[in-house]
């Protein structure tokens, strides 16, 4: 097999961390890989990036030819890449655009795709799976739920197992806020401010604290499992101004839950003998209730640029193994 | 591909549960599978077992022709099975025999093998891997560490990740004993008796409470990761007559640990803010320290007949997918 060629769209934290991780781990991979093109709104259209690309990017200026957003689909179509890695930012209002356009354009022009963007997967799951079948190209999105920490992909290790429900802590920022409120007696606003200072929360924290981010992950997990939940049907309650003292001896966590019939994200009091109550810091956790294994709980980082880059590497190896063996 | 034929050696709890699970999940598998032969010391040599086999077995009598132990290797060699599933009991004194002989005979005669028996893997890892390469046959043993709960196989979802160390709770019986001592104030002997009454501990509990079982799992995990630890070099301390009150505010768990340089299983005091301290009942837990993901913790059942049968199904699907694609 000739080397695998990659086109990266969006060269922010995740894209750069992936570039760096890939170079660090290159010798561990059993295939040859080239990042042939990078498209980024502020860095431009970069062809055959050299070894100094990360240094150049750190300088913050345009590197390649300036790119107009409208021409990105054409650049994707004309690219000779095997795999398009889509790392643009989440846009909930636009229901995952323009990322969905990038991904669908890539598939239609014969590329496999990897994305770390929850938007296109949560809002366009069925369309992407339909395109995947029609064009016989793979769609991978491990990084959308719990970064590189195994989440839905752990089910591949459990063939035959039936998921009765899942519940978990799918947003690290709110878990950090709640943990600090318990451990240090901070108020909600104090803990939020601390999360912002440490870079865990955005200046506008609403995606996290209003449970939008976790709800998108609930949708993605549900669709992978085979349930039909849509974003609009996920019952959502945030933690804005929450008062943890109201819940006495129980520990409040922002719990994401779904079974075949219902899906929600809401602050939920947990018994102290439930391990989930002890998942602290900005860690994520996901419990599957399975017929064969009763319960399975995974705890790990849910964000971070290298943690997300691991997810992309996982998807990349999965695609390459599938291509080679088909 | 023609249907996959299986020979089962050892038709106790795990073998029967696997037979039942396979029949329940048959429609979910994308390949045809037949259990063509069963060899069991008390049930005999059963060819083409019919749908009533589990009922017949429950009656406790010889079903097939009586088998002499010495002829089992010949029966394995002469079998036309594609995969041999080895479910005999652990024998530490014999360093994994006769299971190792069964497995090596199977590989030499062209069969892939699956085992749930820690002995042959912990004591003969290198030889089995060498045979696997030489005869181009696969060796799978997921069930030896944490039953069907993903343990070492989760690393397949994390290509490129480097394991710096692992630590975990790899023996459910001792975790049950320690948990009951904390939760109900039982003495060690009272908790052990309860574990025996509930069927979690054997009449002779030494494999569990002297940390032999967990040490074998440490060896298996280490070898899969690529470290050279041998059973004889694992530092082992049991929990016999342990007094948990000596450790004040910390929680004592029987912790299994290894990195490249050392390996041990010993009672270890854990801070209450460590999630591992809250893994209760007979659950198992395994934490990997990875370069890309900092920490990853998996918690789930580590024993049980259906939980172990899930591991066999996992191994079976893995082998069949590899056969089909090669």
């Amino acid at each position: 097999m000739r080397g695998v060629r990659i086109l990266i769209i969006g060269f922010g934290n995740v894209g750069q961390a992936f570039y760096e991780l890939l170079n660090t781990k290159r010798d561990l991979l059993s295939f040859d890989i080239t990042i042939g093109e990078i498209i980024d709104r502020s860095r431009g259209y970069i062809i055959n990036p050299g070894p100094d690309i990360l240094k150049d990017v750190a300088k913050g200026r345009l590197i390649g030819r300036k790119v107009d957003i409208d021409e990105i689909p054409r650049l994707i179509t004309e690219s000779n890449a095997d795999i398009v890695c889509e790392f643009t930012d989440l846009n909930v209002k636009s229901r995952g655009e323009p990322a969905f356009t990038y991904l669908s354009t890539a598939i239609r022009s014969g590329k496999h795709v990897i994305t770390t963007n929850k938007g296109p997967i949560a809002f366009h799951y069925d369309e992407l799976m339909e395109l995947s079948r029609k064009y016989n190209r793979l769609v991978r999105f491990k990084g959308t739920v719990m970064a590189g920490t195994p989440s839905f992909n752990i089910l591949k290790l459990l063939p035959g197992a039936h998921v009765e429900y899942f519940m978990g802590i799918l947003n690290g920022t709110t878990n950090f806020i709640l943990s600090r409120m318990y451990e240090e007696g901070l108020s909600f606003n104090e803990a939020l401010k601390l999360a912002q200072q440490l870079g865990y929360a955005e200046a506008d924290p609403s995606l996290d604290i209003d449970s939008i981010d976790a709800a998108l992950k609930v949708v993605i997990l549900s669709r992978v499992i085979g349930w039909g939940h849509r974003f609009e049907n996920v019952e959502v309650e945030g933690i804005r101004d929450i008062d943890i003292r109201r819940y006495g001896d129980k520990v409040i966590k922002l719990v994401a839950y779904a079974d075949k019939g219902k899906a929600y994200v809401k602050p939920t009091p947990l018994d102290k003998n439930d391990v989930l109550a002890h998942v602290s810091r900005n860690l994520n956790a996901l419990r599957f209730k399975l017929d064969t294994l009763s319960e399975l709980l995974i705890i790990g980082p849910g964000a971070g640029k290298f943690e997300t880059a691991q997810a992309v590497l996982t998807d990349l190896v999965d695609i390459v193994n599938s291509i080679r063996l088909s």
Side-chain angles (χ1 to χ4, degrees), chain A residues 154-180:
Chain A
I154 207 168
L155 298 172
K156 289 205 290 187
L157 303 179
L158 298 163
H162 173 73
V163 181
E164 295 170 11
Y165 67 79
F166 68 79
M167 72 181 283
I169 297 168
L170 299 180
N171 181 271
T173 305
T174 47
N175 201 50
F176 175 86
I177 291 172
L178 290 169
S179 297
R180 287 301 178 108

Side-chain angles (χ1 to χ4, degrees), chain A residues 216-246:
Chain A
L216 292 168
K217 292 168 181 165
V218 166
V219 171
I220 295 171
L221 282 167
S222 296
R223 303 312 284 271
V224 172
I225 292 168
W227 301 329
H229 302 304
R230 303 176 68 86
F231 182 67
E232 293 69 23
N233 308 126
V234 179
E235 189 192 331
V236 170
E237 189 184 325
I239 64 160
R240 229 175 251 270
D241 297 319
I242 195 166
D243 179 3
I244 60 172
R245 290 166 304 184
R246 277 183 47 203

Side-chain angles (χ1 to χ4, degrees), chain A residues 14 86-88 114-118 140-141 143-144 308-309 311-312:
Chain A
V14 170
E86 198 283 318
F87 303 138
T88 66
I114 294 170
T115 185
T116 54
N117 187 332
K118 291 175 281 292
R140 292 291 181 271
F141 46 91
T144 59
T308 307
V312 181

Side-chain angles (χ1 to χ4, degrees), chain A residues 43-210:
Chain A
R43 314 294 177 214
Y45 176 41
I46 308 162
I47 301 174
N48 295 324
D52 286 336
I53 180 76
L54 295 181
K55 277 184 221 158
D56 291 343
V57 163
K59 290 176 193 152
R61 51 168 196 241
L62 190 70
I63 298 165
R65 153 172 99 64
K66 192 159 171 45
V67 175
D68 192 83
I69 273 209
D70 295 337
E71 66 174 328
I72 293 178
R74 183 181 54 77
L75 294 176
I76 294 171
T77 300
E78 291 173 359
S79 165
N80 68 352
D82 305 290
I83 301 174
V84 169
C85 292
E86 198 283 318
F87 303 138
T88 66
D89 289 339
L90 171 64
N91 190 328
V92 175
K93 269 193 198 138
S94 70
R95 300 180 62 84
E97 287 291 9
F100 172 65
T101 296
Y102 300 159
L103 294 175
S104 52
T105 304
I107 300 169
R108 282 179 213 277
S109 60
K111 284 104 178 161
H112 306 281
V113 297
I114 294 170
T115 185
T116 54
N117 187 332
K118 291 175 281 292
I121 305 298
F123 290 110
H124 298 277
Y125 189 85
D126 292 344
E127 293 146 280
L128 286 169
M129 293 305 120
E130 178 61 30
L131 285 168
S132 168
R133 275 186 295 273
K134 184 168 170 189
Y135 292 92
N136 194 26
R137 287 299 177 270
L138 300 167
V139 178
R140 292 291 181 271
F141 46 91
K142 172 63 209 61
T144 59
V145 182
M146 294 172 72
T149 300
S151 55
F152 53 78
N153 58 336
I154 207 168
L155 298 172
K156 289 205 290 187
L157 303 179
L158 298 163
H162 173 73
V163 181
E164 295 170 11
Y165 67 79
F166 68 79
M167 72 181 283
I169 297 168
L170 299 180
N171 181 271
T173 305
T174 47
N175 201 50
F176 175 86
I177 291 172
L178 290 169
S179 297
R180 287 301 178 108
M181 290 174 73
Y182 276 102
E183 289 160 20
E184 292 163 29
L186 301 185
S187 71
F188 171 78
N189 282 312
E190 288 165 340
L192 170 60
K193 195 164 287 176
L194 182 61
Q196 287 169 323
Q197 281 163 2
L198 294 171
Y200 294 148
E202 304 285 323
D204 172 5
S206 52
L207 282 180
D208 293 321
I209 67 175
D210 294 334

Side-chain angles (χ1 to χ4, degrees), chain A residues 155 161-167 225 227 229 257-262 287-295:
Chain A
L155 298 172
H162 173 73
V163 181
E164 295 170 11
Y165 67 79
F166 68 79
M167 72 181 283
I225 292 168
W227 301 329
H229 302 304
Y257 173 96
D259 56 29
K260 195 178 179 184
K262 68 172 178 292
R287 171 182 287 151
F288 287 108
K289 176 80 172 70
L290 303 163
D291 59 347
T292 54
L293 278 192
S294 55
E295 68 176 275

